[in-house]
Amino acid sequence: AHLRGLTTSGFKQQPTWSNQAVDNKPGMGEWMLSPPPPSTYWPKMNNEHNPCDGDIEDLAPAIADSARTRRPGVRIRVTQPPSLRSSPSQSGGTIDGTQRVYVKTYGCSHNSSDSEYMCGQLAEYGYTLLGERESASADLWLINSCTVKNPSQDHLATDIRRAQALSKPVVVAGCVSQAEPDLVMLRGVSLLGVQQLQRVVDVVREALAGNTVRLLERKARPSLDLPKVRRNQLIEIIPINTGCLGGCTYCKTVYARGRLGSYEPEALLGRLESATSEGVVEIWLTSEDSGAYGRDLGSSLPKLLRAMLQRVPLGRMLRVGMTNPPYILQHLDEIAELLRHPRCYAFLHVPVQSASDRVLRAMRREYTISEFKRVADLLLQRVPRLTLATDIIAGFPGETEEDHQQTLSLIRQYRFPVLNISQFYPRPGTLAARMKRVPTHVVKERTRELTALFHSYSTFDDLLGEELEVLVTDSTARPGAPKQLIAHSKAYVQVLLPHNEAYMGCRLRVHVVATAKFHVLAEAVEVLTSPPQPAARPSSPPQPSSGAEGMGEASEAVLENALDGAARQAMAMAEQGFEAAQQPDKQWVAVQQTQEAERGIEAAEVNKDEEQSSEQRPAMQRLKAEVVVEAVAAAAVTDAPLEGETKMEARPPGHSHVGAQLRPERDTIGTRPRGCGWDVTGTRMPLSTSMVVGFTAAVLAAATMAAVRRC
């Protein structure tokens, strides 16, 4: 139940609680417009019948005394009294965290990223995520909304009605919930603001328990380290900033996302490295205006792109998100240079909206059409085969026929390969909604004319018969057509290939055999790079073992303290050994580096005798295992499979044989490994029991890395 009409200046309506059923749903309440007792909306903390007890309230301040005081911008909302509330730990007798949640997303790639973060948290808590086909069997519907256009909001209203007809609790997240929480269609619906993503589990639990929750406070930007379930396991969407610096008269997104807030470069680089380690091959940078990134941090988009491209591995690609003209004009030369980078798509989305300066002023777009042309001309000149995408709004208030003709001329001049055409929709609360509108039939006619012009010219005919390098990231099955792979060229041209699951995540050289308006058809010629393998993760936490050594999990701080200079030097030697092992004529050097690494590890042990603490000792033992195993694996990598007691050989020049052999020893009364060791030129080093799993994983990881490098 919601308290509506309460503002920071006082009540316009005075609500009170009534334990009547709403929509024939027992256990819910409705607000009756009669004067309530003061304790209803200014309750004391020690009031056992306080209707606010147990409320998940995003805007209420933490209060230490018995009386509440209001802060500016704080709205107090009242939920069901404790006697009427069900426990969030149960819903209809179902164990908490086992329910099924249907998730639907509207809007931009930023919204898609938000949904992936919400799904990650829900899945980690135990909820089962469902798609459209299984929505009727879900226990709750979570809808991530978009406020850019009227149609997307109309679809949201339809979804809410469908869910309520099926008696499903509904949680609405995204821009509509943040910008317009008092809409009639959102009555009785739980809301989650765009900066409250980390609370999605709390809201879902309460909604499943029959309660209505609204978390809309604007707090710090959501962390980029939250759990995530990607829609496509090969694509990572990274929001680089939220909000914008513009003041467009037609846009309502700023009401939801707010003003510009950029993520720190370290956080973005960490997210990129984490994603690529998980097997991601394509990274999308997204925001409401990528070009404005860093203006609040004293940084810039080119600085960020340069740092990120240094960390994008070979065979993977980065895509830059939408940017408005005003904020890249001063960085054009740098942007052109970065778009030519081999691991950055030659693609940029720069919305123009109209080719009339008069209309652009009415929109408050903060640039002229000559400035847009300057951006387009320089980038098209300096970036080979750049794909320049743009947007057009047809029928903006006050647009004349002359304005419309100027926009048509711009399209004829640049023949944009990607053009998003939208008729004007008045968004409530915006300045443009109060302007005199162009007649609806005129708006529709101009929209049809723009669309016809766009479809009148071909886009990719010049690619017919050419060979392209593409990255495969997805597949599709169109009605009446065979399943196909979806890939993109350096210019982000969509390339469709005959389906072959082995090509997913690969870079291919393809031959273009046919072209269409929105894609080209091609056949694979050669595999250039194989798909990356995600970093190995243990299936369960390591278990401490018993014994005099006290082998257990030491804290990260203890492990870091144990890494003194000698240990770091040993690890560097091991890495050099790994590099040397990739070259047949230098594998003997790898063996020597292995021995040096062993000696360095021995020298790095802290307080080797009795003074060594029980925490430092296992830390050093694990460090020893990690470094030595990596070095040994590097020195001994061959193409032979690792089976049983695999013998891996490295033959130095002038020597007949050097072997490194993994030999787990067995207890005489069981099958549990008692210890394992390896031999290099007659030297044997014992490893403790708890290192066996880590030892094997390291060998496999090193072999995989070597195979990838050979490819």
Side-chain angles (χ1 to χ4, degrees), residues 253-264:
T253 303
V254 69
Y255 293 90
R257 297 286 182 178
R259 286 304 178 186
L260 177 69
S262 303
Y263 283 97
E264 294 288 343

Side-chain angles (χ1 to χ4, degrees), residues 119-139:
C119 287
Q121 296 173 80
L122 294 172
E124 185 178 71
Y125 193 74
Y127 294 111
T128 300
L129 305 176
L130 303 180
E132 179 75 32
R133 294 180 180 179
E134 305 156 302
S135 59
S137 63
D139 298 299

